[in-house]
Amino acid sequence: MIDKTSKKPLKRRDFIRKSLHAVAGLTIGGLAGILFSKSSSEEMVWQLDPNICIQCEKCSVNCVLPHSAVKCVHSYSVCGYCDLCSGYLQPGTKVRDTGAESQLCPSGALKRTYVEDPYFEYTIDEKLCVGCGKCVKGCNSFGNGSLYLQTRHDRCLNCNQCSIARRCPSQAWNRVPASRSYILKGDEKKKFLKS
Amino acid sequence: MRYKSRRSKLFIVALLFLFPLLGLSQVPERVPKPDFETDYIRPDFLTPTPRATALEYIDIGVLIVALFLATYFAHKQRSRQNIFLLMVFSLAYFGFYRKGCICPIGAIQNVTYALFNPAYAIPVFVIVFFVLPLVLALFYGRTFCAAVCPLGAIQDAVVLKPTNVPGGLAAVLSVLPYLYLGLAVLLAATGAGFIICQYDPFIGFFRFGADFNMVIFGLSMLLLGTVVARPYCRFLCPYGVLLNWMSRLSKRHVGITPDECNNCRLCEESCPFGAIKKPDEAAPPANREAEVKKLAFIIVLLPIVVFGSGWIGSRLEIPLSRLHANVSLAEEILLENSGQRTELTDETKAFRASGKPTEELFAEASAIQRQFKVGGWILGGFIGLILCLKLINLFMRRRQSEYYVDKGTCLSCGRCFSYCPYEQVRLGIITPKEAEKMGSKEVKIKQFRA
């Protein structure tokens, strides 16, 4: 690093080095300043908009997790509690029972319990749900659309580039602020936004 | 009650017949809401929260402490062992515990995205992760690479039998990071996606899960890493480009020797990354004029090369812009509308169901293509400039009388320290006289050869 032949070039080189150092420092500082002016103290997380979702079933296979972080959720305030639930039963099924062959859910995650005549409550076992959205499609076709898909943030790793979002055909995915990390329907939406 | 339920069933049956008429968009309130006679209470709707923001600030704390320790270990303690231990900790914390997200390498894209998309509010800790290692490199060199980066750590752990990459090949490969950086910035700026994260070879290991291609890429990188030390860091990492620039200008940088170099040549082969430069033999003066001419020629050629590669970059507008979802969607819609394709894809079905006018999509797509044209010019010009600078660098031989580290490519890993006899003196293992002897002996051999 030491040029022993003469002293002049050393000074010149030093000057260039010092000024470049200052320029680099100022560039980083300026960039950081601009970025801070556009920043938020909140983390951004991934969420899908159920109003845009087309239930293509890609959420269930494209997550980096072995079991997708996308699960079906159920808005009880929107649900009609139907006996003939098009999200629960196979289309065209004659019997309305809880037999595996009459269920639409491939993993039996959607559970049905009797409330009172003629109403049935539907709940989702998240441990079993694979996030395929078959029930969502069924519910949207004939029902109120009370079943819909959401990323569950206790499972989501919040990758910098969500691998589901990248492959979503309807571009339903977006980065949302952590405090508004769900895009909900019905009363749940109001409650969530209030809190 | 009975009557009502029958009516709702009838309603559903009627809807069954109407099925083909129903679009993809949902129609709310098809079924009337029930009024329960029993005191049924709706179950709670759970919304599990994401990782607390406070924890992100703990991450910043860990990053700051790790960076400080790495610099302390490299500069003050000169201890490879401590650097290695810190590296293992970083691999465990930032890699396996934090699953590799967010990392400064990927943060390049968040920063670019934030600069070009006003709607995206970049989280503070992402800025910190991006800026801190750069600032540190500007003062103390790439200590981040040595012991804090989890991607570097996983590769460093598999360096078994490092071989030298021939100079020419290394020079050609060292252009790749610039290309990767340029592409990543272009694609993030236009909103096409984050390719650095998409093609991150090691994140699959951190998460214990990835798609097939990712696993293959990661495994091959690790396998290659056993013979070519840290292949990703040296020949791909886009953040490494920025760190390289900063480190070149660094105020203090680790040196091989804590004292003066006596050209004992013991450290010559110690760097697996090829960052130790040998002292130049006296350059033959007859060549000087020819070299100056060559240099002048390259400098004259520079604007032409920059313009030419910029033009090539702008020609890539069409294939590159296809990486943006809107452009590829517009192309598919165009194909379908012209009747060249009859089968609808999920994408086009979703678009048609959304009711957005096609003209709007086409306008968006052509705006994105224009952005890619401008971006292609800049990307191409940037690569042309880098190529020229690399060529100039080949001719700008600095007269060097001792062994030194290339500040740009040195990762401050500390492998070379213990090879230096003066380091052994510093540690009290040998006496200064013995160290001097080592030097003189080698110099004698050199003189003998000459």
Side-chain angles (χ1 to χ4, degrees), chain B residues 116 179 181-190 306 309-318 320-321 367-383:
Chain B
F116 286 88
L179 197 61
L181 174 70
L183 263 180
V185 167
L186 176 61
L187 292 177
T190 49
V306 169
S309 61
W311 182 79
I312 294 171
S314 73
R315 293 282 96 185
L316 293 174
E317 155 206 21
I318 302 295
L320 279 180
S321 63
I368 292 162
Q369 276 185 338
R370 274 196 299 280
Q371 287 172 4
F372 268 95
K373 184 146 198 157
V374 178
W377 269 107
I378 299 171
L379 172 65
F382 172 68
I383 297 302

Side-chain angles (χ1 to χ4, degrees), chain B residues 80-129:
Chain B
R80 167 69 192 155
Q81 196 195 339
N82 283 355
I83 291 175
F84 185 81
L85 289 177
L86 181 63
M87 189 191 89
V88 171
F89 165 78
S90 300
L91 180 61
Y93 186 84
F94 293 112
F96 290 103
Y97 169 61
R98 290 296 296 119
K99 311 263 187 257
C101 262
I102 178 89
C103 77
I105 308 172
I108 296 172
Q109 303 159 116
N110 298 61
V111 164
T112 318
Y113 192 59
L115 290 178
F116 286 88
N117 292 270
Y120 175 60
I122 181 168
V124 168
F125 70 94
V126 177
I127 306 175
V128 175
F129 264 75

Side-chain angles (χ1 to χ4, degrees), chain A residues 1 77 116 121 143 182 185, chain B residues 26 30 33 38 40 48 400:
Chain A
M1 231 151 287
S77 65
E116 62 176 59
E121 182 196 273
Y182 290 91
K185 289 183 173 180
Chain B
Q26 50 164 58
R30 284 201 199 100
K33 272 185 204 155
T38 52
Y40 167 78
Q400 200 68 43

Side-chain angles (χ1 to χ4, degrees), chain A residues 23 143 151 153 162:
Chain A
V23 168
T151 309
H153 288 295
C162 172

Side-chain angles (χ1 to χ4, degrees), chain B residues 17 117 178 223 228 239 270 312 314 391 399 415:
Chain B
F17 289 105
N117 292 270
Y178 292 90
L223 272 179
V228 178
Y239 193 64
S270 67
I312 294 171
S314 73
L391 271 180
R399 218 139 300 148
R415 279 191 176 83

Side-chain angles (χ1 to χ4, degrees), chain B residues 27 29 58 67 70 77 88 141 170 175 179 187 194 198 222 231 294 307 323 350 354:
Chain B
V27 183
E29 292 292 312
I58 292 177
L67 283 175
Q77 280 198 334
V88 171
V175 182
L179 197 61
L187 292 177
F194 285 11
Q198 195 179 326
L222 284 186
K294 268 186 204 163
F307 184 81
L323 295 172
S354 72

